């Protein structure tokens, strides 16, 4: 009879522990199997109004680069956009855009109105390349070393803190050829 009272209590405690542990986790820290591995093989045409598309070979240029997955319909993409423009002004590394499941006219208008931080911008109309990159949603930002290996994946909109404590320091370390202590 006492066991009947003990089982619900044990189940309740286990559920409580599971929830408590879950609340301590950072939802932005989504592990990626691609960290330290080469970027997927792909080749995308340029978005409307631009002349340079994006392909695997463009990320193996001997210097680190940033790949930002974005869409004109994405509100958080609009929020982080000024940070990408500032990174472009800094000139630390080329920034490339992977335009995800977007209407060609909408993305052209979006980049024309807000400014274009991208050296190259590939149009991933059906989202296939995004799937190969392990994209969960937009925005997502990757740091790629000069050999074309993914060194960092940031899920969600970038913030000033992310730029100052993760993206810029990692790019500087990669440019200097130093191992980085940046946790991304």
């Amino acid at each position: 009879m006492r066991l009947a009272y003990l089982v619900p209590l044990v189940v309740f405690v286990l559920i409580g522990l599971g929830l408590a542990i879950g609340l301590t986790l950072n939802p932005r820290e989504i592990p990626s199997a691609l960290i330290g591995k080469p970027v997927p093989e792909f080749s995308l045409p340029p978005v409307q109004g631009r002349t340079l598309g994006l392909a695997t070979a463009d990320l193996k240029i001997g210097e680190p680069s940033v790949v930002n997955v974005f869409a004109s319909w994405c509100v958080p993409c609009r929020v982080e956009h000024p940070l990408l423009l500032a990174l472009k002004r800094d000139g630390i590394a080329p920034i490339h855009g992977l335009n995800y499941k977007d209407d060609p006219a909408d993305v052209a208008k979006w980049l024309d109105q807000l400014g274009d931080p991208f050296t190259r911008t590939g149009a991933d109309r059906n989202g296939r390349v995004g799937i190969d990159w392990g994209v969960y949603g937009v925005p997502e930002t990757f740091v790629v070393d000069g050999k074309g290996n993914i060194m960092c994946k940031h899920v969600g909109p970038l913030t000033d803190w992310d730029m100052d404590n993760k993206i810029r320091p990692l790019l500087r370390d990669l440019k200097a050829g130093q191992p980085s202590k940046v946790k991304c």
Side-chain angles (χ1 to χ4, degrees), residues 116-184:
D116 188 349
F118 306 119
T119 303
R120 297 175 160 275
T121 313
D124 186 14
R125 297 281 315 276
N126 63 8
R128 181 70 217 158
V129 172
I131 290 170
D132 292 343
W133 278 73
V135 170
Y136 292 95
V138 289
E140 289 190 17
T141 304
F142 297 84
V143 175
V144 179
D145 71 9
K147 298 174 188 169
N149 297 308
I150 297 172
M151 304 308 292
C152 173
K153 175 182 181 178
H154 178 84
V155 177
L158 293 165
T159 64
D160 287 322
W161 189 93
D162 297 319
M163 296 300 280
D164 294 341
N165 294 286
K166 292 178 9 179
I167 304 300
R168 283 187 181 96
L170 179 56
L171 288 169
R172 283 189 206 106
D173 290 347
L174 290 171
K175 251 186 142 153
Q178 301 174 12
S180 184
K181 295 179 183 171
V182 176
K183 186 176 185 297
C184 216

Side-chain angles (χ1 to χ4, degrees), residues 81-140:
H81 198 75
L83 297 174
L84 295 171
L85 290 167
L87 185 62
K88 178 183 180 180
R89 283 190 301 273
D90 291 350
I92 296 173
I95 306 167
H96 304 296
L98 196 157
N99 182 240
Y100 188 72
K101 294 184 177 181
D102 213 341
D103 178 82
D106 290 345
V107 71
K109 180 179 174 185
W110 195 79
L111 289 171
D112 289 342
Q113 287 178 347
L114 297 179
D116 188 349
F118 306 119
T119 303
R120 297 175 160 275
T121 313
D124 186 14
R125 297 281 315 276
N126 63 8
R128 181 70 217 158
V129 172
I131 290 170
D132 292 343
W133 278 73
V135 170
Y136 292 95
V138 289
E140 289 190 17

Side-chain angles (χ1 to χ4, degrees), residues 3-80:
L3 188 59
Y5 293 111
L6 191 58
V7 170
L9 178 63
V10 169
V11 169
F12 178 76
V13 168
L14 289 174
I15 290 172
L17 282 172
L19 290 172
I21 291 169
L23 289 173
T24 66
L25 302 176
N26 184 347
R28 289 184 180 243
E29 291 179 9
I30 299 173
S32 174
L34 296 177
I35 301 298
K37 297 200 168 93
V39 297
E41 289 294 325
F42 72 100
S43 181
L44 292 172
V47 297
Q48 182 177 309
R50 306 299 183 267
T51 57
L52 300 174
L54 185 60
T56 304
D58 301 320
L59 303 174
K60 297 178 180 181
I61 55 173
E63 68 175 324
S65 58
V66 173
V67 176
N68 180 256
V69 184
F70 76 102
S72 65
W73 46 264
C74 165
V75 174
C77 296
R78 185 175 289 264
V79 171
E80 77 173 4

